[in-house]
Amino acid sequence: MITVVIAAYNAQKTIARAIDSVIDDPHVSEIVVVDDASQDKTFEIACGYMDHRNKVLVLKQDENGGPARARNRAITVSSSPWITVLDADDFILPGRMAGLLTFQDEADLIADDMWQVNEQDINGPKRLLIGDKMTLPAKISFAQFVRSNVSDHQRERAELGFIKPLMRRQFLTDNELFYHESMRLGEDYELYCQALAHGARMILAPAQGYVSVVRSTSLSAQHHEEDLLLLRDCDVHLAGIKNLSSEDKNALWQHYKSVDCRLQWRLLINAVKQRHVVAAVKTFLRPWPVAKFLVQQLLIQFYQRLLKKSL
């Protein structure tokens, strides 16, 4: 029933745990591991599973192209009616796939709340991404999904862009949907938005057993200005999709501004380091609330430095 896609880069410490967590699931018919030109033993470890009931296929990229490109390759060579992504440093608890498939007649994207654990203590305390912030199961609209990904320091983080749903292959095929290969940050967000904009039905269920291992060195935690630029500007392209409502477009504009705040902060820091006054001033000329955000960040930095001096 299900193809599990694992894009892996320098994941020799965790790739076996990821594969082990799904290899004996009776609902998983294929596991496609795409090594993204790792420089460690990720490929060799994954290849050790190739003879396991002919269930595991391991491919290797000629050069590092990012998770989106690796996942697209896995989707292209696989065939199961449902596709789901498992990050190489995460793992899945028994019973998750069966739980998600109970919704297969109601949705094209079947997601669940995810457990989050610290990489230093994966068997320690777990916290939910969504928890009691939403009554589950719930149908998720385009605008609701986008708004959940808008940064807001006044509420706890609960971005639905992190979820790893089962995706109906036929829906992706019929609408020619793939991951945006230029994006290394927010590629999941962009694909789910594309699917919802084309009429996909998304259901978010209570946690069924996806465990996200939170790492300070993850790709999403170490993005660059170009990554933020692509994430911000994907909202412009999404807004051009036909049949989006004014509410949908407003949600995209909110997300655009949220990402732009983070991008301009990065650009301001670089401009200050390079003593480039014009570039620094330009960051404050972006649409509201960028200037407000930058001033707040500068004040935070100022108070932190005062605190360090006083210690």
Side-chain angles (χ1 to χ4, degrees):
M1 287 292 291
I2 301 171
T3 294
V4 176
V5 171
I6 305 176
Y9 177 67
N10 289 347
Q12 64 178 13
K13 295 181 179 179
T14 61
I15 188 64
R17 181 180 66 199
I19 297 173
D20 286 337
S21 72
V22 291
I23 199 166
D24 292 322
D25 190 305
H27 298 287
V28 174
S29 54
E30 299 175 295
I31 301 170
V32 183
V33 180
V34 180
D35 180 89
D36 198 16
S38 294
Q39 299 173 341
D40 61 5
K41 295 183 179 180
T42 299
F43 181 72
E44 290 79 357
I45 294 171
C47 284
Y49 289 87
M50 289 275 279
D51 295 330
H52 192 98
R53 298 198 304 273
N54 295 318
K55 201 173 190 177
V56 181
L57 173 64
V58 182
L59 306 172
K60 190 175 181 66
Q61 302 285 70
D62 292 332
E63 60 181 12
N64 182 268
R69 185 177 300 175
R71 290 172 185 171
N72 282 342
R73 185 180 180 189
I75 291 171
T76 301
V77 303
S78 60
S79 60
S80 300
W82 291 94
I83 305 162
T84 194
V85 165
L86 172 60
D87 286 345
D89 49 352
D90 296 342
F91 58 96
I92 289 175
L93 301 178
R96 178 181 185 247
M97 303 306 187
L100 293 179
L101 286 172
T102 61
F103 298 95
Q104 64 180 299
D105 295 330
E106 306 172 47
D108 305 296
L109 301 176
I110 311 171
D112 59 335
D113 197 358
M114 58 167 52
W115 292 106
Q116 296 180 309
V117 297
N118 190 284
E119 66 172 332
Q120 305 300 328
D121 188 13
I122 63 169
N123 296 313
K126 299 195 295 290
R127 60 188 180 279
L128 287 168
L129 176 68
I130 307 300
D132 59 3
K133 304 179 190 69
M134 188 186 304
T135 301
L136 303 178
K139 294 180 179 179
I140 306 298
S141 69
F142 180 96
Q144 185 179 11
F145 175 80
V146 174
R147 284 197 300 267
S148 77
N149 294 283
V150 176
S151 299
D152 186 348
H153 68 278
Q154 295 181 343
R155 62 175 170 82
E156 292 184 69
R157 296 185 65 180
E159 295 99 323
L160 293 180
F162 289 128
I163 58 177
K164 296 294 188 291
L166 297 187
M167 300 180 285
R168 192 185 299 276
R169 181 186 297 275
Q170 194 61 52
F171 183 90
L172 298 181
T173 301
D174 289 346
N175 292 281
E176 300 181 338
L177 299 180
F178 288 93
Y179 285 97
H180 191 309
E181 294 193 355
S182 297
M183 297 179 68
R184 290 176 179 252
L185 174 70
E187 69 280 353
D188 297 296
Y189 164 84
E190 196 273 345
L191 178 64
Y192 305 155
C193 281
Q194 287 273 5
L196 288 166
H198 283 84
R201 301 163 297 164
M202 175 185 280
I203 282 183
L204 181 64
Q208 301 296 309
Y210 190 102
V211 182
S212 173
V213 180
V214 180
R215 300 183 301 125
S216 59
T217 57
S218 66
L219 288 177
S220 60
Q222 294 192 333
H223 47 264
H224 303 287
E225 288 82 0
E226 179 65 20
D227 301 321
L228 287 167
L229 179 64
L230 289 170
L231 176 58
R232 185 197 70 180
D233 290 352
C234 85
D235 286 324
V236 177
H237 300 293
L238 289 167
I241 297 175
K242 294 181 180 179
N243 301 321
L244 289 183
S245 68
S246 57
E247 181 186 10
D248 295 336
K249 292 181 179 180
N250 182 60
L252 288 170
W253 176 233
Q254 291 177 37
H255 186 259
Y256 176 98
K257 291 188 293 184
S258 173
V259 177
D260 198 33
C261 284
R262 294 155 57 194
L263 172 60
Q264 299 307 320
W265 174 241
R266 289 289 193 92
L267 295 175
L268 175 59
I269 292 174
N270 289 340
V272 171
K273 288 181 178 178
Q274 298 170 11
R275 299 183 180 181
H276 198 312
V277 177
V278 174
V281 171
K282 283 184 178 179
T283 63
F284 286 89
L285 302 180
R286 298 291 300 168
W288 186 263
V290 170
K292 176 184 175 182
F293 178 82
L294 295 179
V295 170
Q296 288 174 336
Q297 294 300 113
L298 288 171
L299 287 174
I300 290 172
Q301 293 292 316
F302 176 73
Y303 285 123
Q304 286 178 343
R305 292 190 178 187
L306 282 182
L307 184 61
K308 285 182 179 180
K309 289 182 178 180
S310 64
L311 294 177

